[in-house]
Amino acid sequence: MTDDVAVLGAGMHPWGKWGRGFAEYGASAARAALADAGVRWRDVGSIVGADTVRGGYPGHVAGATFAKALGWQGARVASVYAACASGAQAIGTARAQILAGLADVVLVVGADAAPKGFFRPAGGDRPDDPDWLRFRLLGATNPAYFGLYARRRMALHGDTPEDFALVKVKNSAMGARNPYARYRKRVDAEEVAASPVVADPLRLLDICATSDGGAALVLASMEFARRHGVRRPVRIRAVSTVTPQFPVTVLDLPDIATDSAASVGLRDGTFRTSIARAAYEEAGIGPEELSLAEVYDLSTALELQWYEDLGLCGEGEAAKLLRSGATALGGRTPVNASGGLASFGEAVPAQAIAQVCELTWQLRQESGDRQVDGARVGITANQGLFGHGSSVIAVR
């Protein structure tokens, strides 16, 4: 176990399609987080930006971009890129700086102005880029990738399109209560079933959109929090950013190669289970202690997979858990009380930070009519391309 760091402030720019630059969204979220923390920008010792990549260039080097937008004041700066795990790595970098004594207060910011439609690689030939290869060699767009996972669950566990639709129904009901969500309309299973097929068996309402948005956190040492008069802050207890382990015997796009297990033998669990396991071990808790979870629902079927990967249920039991109501508001462990990506869409560098914003508000009991009763412990989980794990555990 490592020492905790305090979450003094959380802020977001609403998700949507606003037609402006990502720096504007990030600066807006940062100002909201600073105001929430009661901390002045000049008192921030470091800023960590989660990069967005457009045309092969990483987001104007996001840390300095946001520092400039807020006004140069001499703070340390760092920028990280890990695709969808960028926000978690930014949080991990900020925490390391605080625990190392390099800064008492660190601002973490991520934002994106996503292109219209599904993500695609930048132009040009890049045969050493696994993401480019899966588009060019396999024609595996993101929806195709999600569809393959859904088919795998159907084949192995008997999941049905009706099960997948219920995930969207659940998340839309919670997203309708979130003022930062892009989609704030409840949908029913019939509407999901009537939406166009995108990648069989998944339909349009099974798959998340791409969005503009921003999120920010103000993290601080526990000593600074006490000096600042915050006696019982939300605390970051674990940040898992692990990579896969040899051998990898199940295809996990965009990595399209497998390793031989002949000389090593199979290991226990998959990459995604290792992400959660590392977080639990660092925090010194287990899944039975969770009050809620925010997971990466790129598709409805992938949310079900996270139930098992987080240890909320056994292998193949996710649909049963969903149907029991355990992951809905009022259930044993609500999942995606924010509404998830189903309600927000992807703003890639911001989304892992936004997940921790939601945990912060829930653990403070500040989530209004989507509040999880008695929330004390929360976990986030997502997965970035190229083997980037992402999980954060927050407690109060």
Side-chain angles (χ1 to χ4, degrees), residues 288-309:
E288 67 282 353
E289 297 173 69
L290 294 176
S291 305
L292 75 158
E294 287 288 311
V295 307
Y296 194 43
D297 58 319
L298 289 166
S299 80
T300 51
L302 284 173
E303 176 169 320
L304 293 181
Q305 185 63 48
W306 279 115
Y307 296 177
E308 298 168 18
D309 296 334

Side-chain angles (χ1 to χ4, degrees), residues 5 8 18 41 66 88 92 100 108 110-111 116 121 130 148 163 191 229 236 275 343 354 365 370 392:
V5 299
L8 293 188
W18 308 113
W41 163 232
F66 296 131
V108 181
K116 184 178 180 180
L148 289 171
D163 293 322
E191 290 175 273
I236 301 295
I275 297 171
S343 300
Q365 310 294 308
R370 69 178 192 281
V392 178

